[in-house]
Amino acid sequence: MPKELVRITTAGSVDDGKSTLIGRLLFDCNQIYQDQVEAIQQSGGYEDKIDYSLFTDGLSSEREQGITIDVAYRYFSTKQRRFILADVPGHEQYTRNMVTGASMADIAIILIDARYGMTKQSKRHLFIASLLSIKHVLVVINKMDLVDYSEQAYSGIVEDIQQYVAKLNFPDLQFTPLSALKGDFVVNASNAMSWYKGKTLLHYLETVQVASDRNLIDFRLPVQYVIRSNQDERYYAGTIASGSIKIGEEIMILPSKTT
């Protein structure tokens, strides 16, 4: 039986650590080849340390500026599931790219810098996640190592976010503190935050229930493009939004209601 496929999107303000988090997740899940690690160590100027963000910031302009510009897709798997992860830009100028990456997501991971808490861009990302009806949202309070793993700092940010999202629609909203740089609660638990009894990021991704979110009955295909191979043939291209279809089934085209 094939493993379940789960689509993830990330979001967060600039320098909240999205690329570092994804790089650390892939590294700790043994999804990075040794030659890639060696190349990153050499390009990053480190011999004994790894700049995890370089595993995802693939464009030369991204590496030069230290920001994510384009939507970068990463594929990885564990014993439980297969994942497609869209690393989207955090800069306000590239918010439209965040919408592109989040449009098909089952889970949204929204990063918050523990030093600064919720920002205007964080609010924007939460609003977009609600607007796109993403069922499962995990708010990650990152860089906990820079606030001495303070439970008070974490609880204050959680309270602020809960007040803001009270007017939004989130069927499932969870929180987790971690340090992407140190690896605390990304794949493995850590003694640095003994006060936190929740799941690691990977455990959440492997166990959150997403299958029941999908409509497998009603076939819906928004037509995005019409392809003409010659005078007599046309093909309709799009992403199946729900349901399934097989040869011989009758469909209705809206708004004309032609069958």
Side-chain angles (χ1 to χ4, degrees):
M1 184 176 179
K3 289 185 285 189
E4 184 179 24
L5 176 63
V6 178
R7 293 177 174 84
I8 309 166
T9 187
T10 61
S13 300
V14 174
D15 294 330
D16 279 351
K18 295 186 311 302
S19 297
T20 299
L21 175 61
I22 296 169
R24 167 64 83 167
L25 177 64
L26 296 176
F27 182 82
D28 286 357
C29 287
N30 299 315
Q31 300 288 309
I32 305 294
Y33 293 112
Q34 184 60 35
D35 59 342
Q36 290 178 282
V37 175
E38 293 173 357
I40 292 300
Q41 287 176 319
Q42 293 173 6
S43 65
Y46 301 100
E47 293 183 358
D48 57 344
K49 296 181 180 179
I50 299 174
D51 184 346
Y52 296 100
S53 68
L54 297 182
F55 289 127
T56 55
D57 286 339
L59 300 177
S60 59
S61 55
E62 292 177 328
R63 296 191 179 190
E64 290 167 3
Q65 299 180 56
I67 62 173
T68 301
I69 296 174
D70 198 8
V71 180
Y73 292 94
R74 296 292 179 267
Y75 305 85
F76 70 102
S77 64
T78 65
K79 292 181 179 179
Q80 281 71 31
R81 284 175 167 170
R82 295 176 296 130
F83 299 95
I84 299 177
L85 191 152
D87 179 22
V88 304
H91 197 283
E92 182 177 350
Q93 182 178 347
Y94 304 110
T95 301
R96 63 187 182 279
N97 290 356
M98 182 262 174
V99 177
T100 300
S103 60
M104 295 296 292
D106 301 306
I107 302 169
I109 299 174
I110 297 180
L111 269 74
I112 306 290
D113 190 320
R115 297 170 298 173
Y116 309 126
M118 185 169 55
T119 64
K120 182 184 296 185
Q121 188 70 344
S122 303
K123 292 180 179 179
R124 186 177 286 114
H125 288 149
L126 285 164
F127 181 81
I128 291 172
S130 174
L131 191 66
L132 294 175
S133 299
I134 299 176
K135 299 291 193 300
H136 307 280
V137 175
L138 177 67
V139 178
V140 167
I141 315 300
N142 189 28
K143 303 188 179 183
M144 288 297 297
D145 55 307
L146 298 182
V147 294
D148 297 323
Y149 299 103
S150 167
E151 181 180 7
Q152 183 177 1
Y154 169 74
S155 299
I157 295 171
V158 170
E159 184 177 348
D160 289 343
I161 294 173
Q162 286 176 330
Q163 290 178 358
Y164 174 73
V165 302
K167 56 189 176 184
L168 302 178
N169 179 30
F170 287 126
D172 178 30
L173 178 67
Q174 304 288 333
F175 298 87
T176 187
L178 56 77
S179 169
L181 185 64
K182 303 293 186 180
D184 301 309
F185 280 95
V186 179
V187 171
N188 303 305
S190 167
N191 293 327
M193 289 180 283
S194 57
W195 46 266
Y196 176 67
K197 305 301 181 183
K199 300 177 180 179
T200 65
L201 172 62
L202 180 62
H203 188 199
Y204 171 86
L205 296 177
E206 289 183 325
T207 57
V208 64
Q209 297 298 317
V210 298
S212 59
D213 301 334
R214 298 166 186 160
N215 182 347
L216 302 177
I217 299 173
D218 302 309
F219 176 70
R220 298 290 184 271
L221 173 68
V223 176
Q224 296 170 300
Y225 193 67
V226 179
I227 303 168
R228 296 187 64 176
S229 60
N230 55 50
Q231 291 292 333
D232 302 318
E233 294 181 333
R234 287 187 179 183
Y235 299 91
Y236 299 93
T239 300
I240 296 177
S242 67
S244 61
I245 194 171
K246 62 180 183 291
I247 294 174
E249 283 189 301
E250 184 179 89
I251 61 171
M252 178 183 290
I253 301 171
L254 297 176
S256 68
K257 296 187 178 180
T258 302
T259 58

